[in-house]
Amino acid sequence: MDKKTEDLIIESVIRQLLETQVLNGENNVGSGSENDSQGSGSDPNTLEPMDVIGVENPHNLEALKVMRKTSPARLFMGRCGARQKTASYLNYMADHAAAIDAVLMDVSEQFIADNELFKVSTVVKDKDEYLMRPDLGKKLSQEAKEEILQKGEKGKQVQIIVVDGLSSTSIEANVADVMPALIQGLGTYGISVARPFFIKYGRVAIMDEVAPLLDCDVIVEFIGERPGLITAESMSAYMAYRPDHNTNESNRTVVSNIHRNGTPPAEAGAHLATVVKKMIDNKVSGIKLAALS
């Protein structure tokens, strides 16, 4: 059976279960409370609610509820015989599929247009090469360099770049909120911002090629984090003061876990503006900036 056929079967099974409301918990036996449902509502691409306890007849239900609320991990999902419950398993499979999609799908052209970005690429030829050759994701193609020089703005204090990274989902879920908040925050400090643009098949260190081209003080790079089973929407913002080919990882400052269930995008944008201001004032980033705190 090929993967496409397998995916169609899984999709069909999930749809049937939703129609019979199995995912809403009507066919699951739990501890007897109203929170025993194993489902997560009509959308299987989410974790079970953090008040769900799937363990049957627990010795101390209240203690399990307290522990369950401390983590979004799959705790106390219960079992049916020697296996996990169907709804819990299907939620797991749906989240796993969402993580795979986040890695393999490209950021849409509509997203790029909606956010008024122009697009360039690294020397990477396709997704397979991107995943197998991380080093190539750190190098701009010659065409990209020429387009950046033509369409970009040299000499501004801050350059924002949007990079697909390992999650296209996270980019599309967060950038539209975090970028305006950042630009507005920088504006209140009187910090100039160049026209943002998108880099396809990029890695974090691609900023080291962009900054010297445009002669900017700080690069702010939004990049998709490697997705997991908790969320495929988590994005990071890497920042560096005057990065170049001699920059190492300790010279970068990062704010991670930007997503609706982590640091909200708009809040993250406002915070990033204060970090960038501090970088420009002190002319450092990374561990040197942290040492000033």
Side-chain angles (χ1 to χ4, degrees):
M1 181 185 300
D2 59 32
K3 188 177 185 304
K4 183 176 180 180
T5 302
E6 181 180 341
D7 289 344
L8 289 173
I9 292 173
I10 292 173
E11 181 180 347
S12 176
V13 170
I14 292 176
R15 187 181 299 110
Q16 291 176 36
L17 288 170
L18 285 170
E19 290 172 355
T20 58
Q21 296 188 357
V22 171
L23 289 184
N24 289 327
E26 290 190 0
N27 294 332
N28 286 304
V29 178
S31 59
S33 73
E34 68 276 11
N35 291 324
D36 291 337
S37 164
Q38 280 291 301
S40 57
S42 60
D43 180 7
N45 294 303
T46 57
L47 290 166
E48 289 87 347
M50 292 183 69
D51 58 355
V52 167
I53 302 297
V55 178
E56 297 181 17
N57 303 314
H59 177 69
N60 189 335
L61 176 61
E62 293 306 314
L64 296 190
K65 286 183 177 180
V66 171
M67 286 187 280
R68 178 75 181 92
K69 290 181 178 180
T70 63
S71 171
R74 288 174 164 82
L75 303 176
F76 313 127
M77 294 295 99
R79 60 188 176 89
C80 181
R83 65 172 180 81
Q84 65 190 105
K85 293 183 178 181
T86 301
S88 179
Y89 174 70
L90 289 173
N91 272 279
Y92 165 82
M93 292 298 291
D95 287 334
H96 184 256
I100 293 174
D101 285 346
V103 174
L104 298 182
M105 291 175 61
D106 289 330
V107 173
S108 70
E109 295 296 327
Q110 187 63 52
F111 165 85
I112 294 171
D114 288 346
N115 289 277
E116 300 180 349
L117 306 169
F118 67 90
K119 183 176 77 170
V120 298
S121 183
T122 62
V123 296
V124 174
K125 296 182 179 64
D126 53 38
K127 184 71 74 170
D128 287 341
E129 185 173 68
Y130 175 72
L131 295 174
M132 296 294 290
R133 293 287 306 274
D135 58 311
L136 297 182
K138 303 174 184 179
K139 301 175 183 178
L140 288 169
S141 66
Q142 184 58 38
E143 295 81 1
K145 292 178 181 179
E146 292 171 0
E147 188 161 2
I148 289 170
L149 289 173
Q150 178 184 355
K151 296 182 179 179
E153 299 177 276
K154 294 188 69 173
K156 300 289 186 178
Q157 289 173 286
V158 176
Q159 176 66 61
I160 298 171
I161 56 176
V162 180
V163 182
D164 47 6
L166 290 171
S167 176
S168 59
T169 303
S170 72
I171 295 301
E172 296 199 13
N174 299 295
V175 167
D177 291 324
V178 69
M179 190 163 64
L182 169 60
I183 293 173
Q184 181 179 359
L186 293 174
T188 63
Y189 292 124
I191 295 173
S192 61
V193 182
R195 179 185 179 186
F197 57 92
F198 174 77
I199 302 178
K200 187 174 183 178
Y201 298 143
R203 300 281 179 169
V204 171
I206 195 65
M207 66 166 64
D208 300 345
E209 294 218 330
V210 174
L213 273 178
L214 294 176
D215 189 30
C216 59
D217 289 330
V218 173
I219 288 278
V220 178
E221 177 179 330
F222 297 128
I223 187 167
E225 295 178 5
R226 182 181 292 106
L229 294 174
I230 299 300
T231 181
E233 295 184 356
S234 189
M235 185 182 77
S236 288
Y238 281 84
M239 296 162 283
Y241 184 81
R242 290 276 172 180
D244 56 28
H245 292 294
N246 295 316
T247 298
N248 56 44
E249 297 312 305
S250 67
N251 296 133
R252 308 189 206 280
T253 299
V254 61
V255 174
S256 59
N257 294 301
I258 301 171
H259 59 94
R260 56 184 172 174
N261 295 317
T263 301
E267 180 181 325
H271 172 64
L272 293 173
T274 64
V275 176
V276 171
K277 174 68 161 57
K278 191 173 181 181
M279 285 183 182
I280 291 174
D281 288 346
N282 294 281
K283 297 181 171 55
V284 293
S285 57
I287 58 174
K288 292 180 180 179
L289 183 71
L292 299 175
S293 301

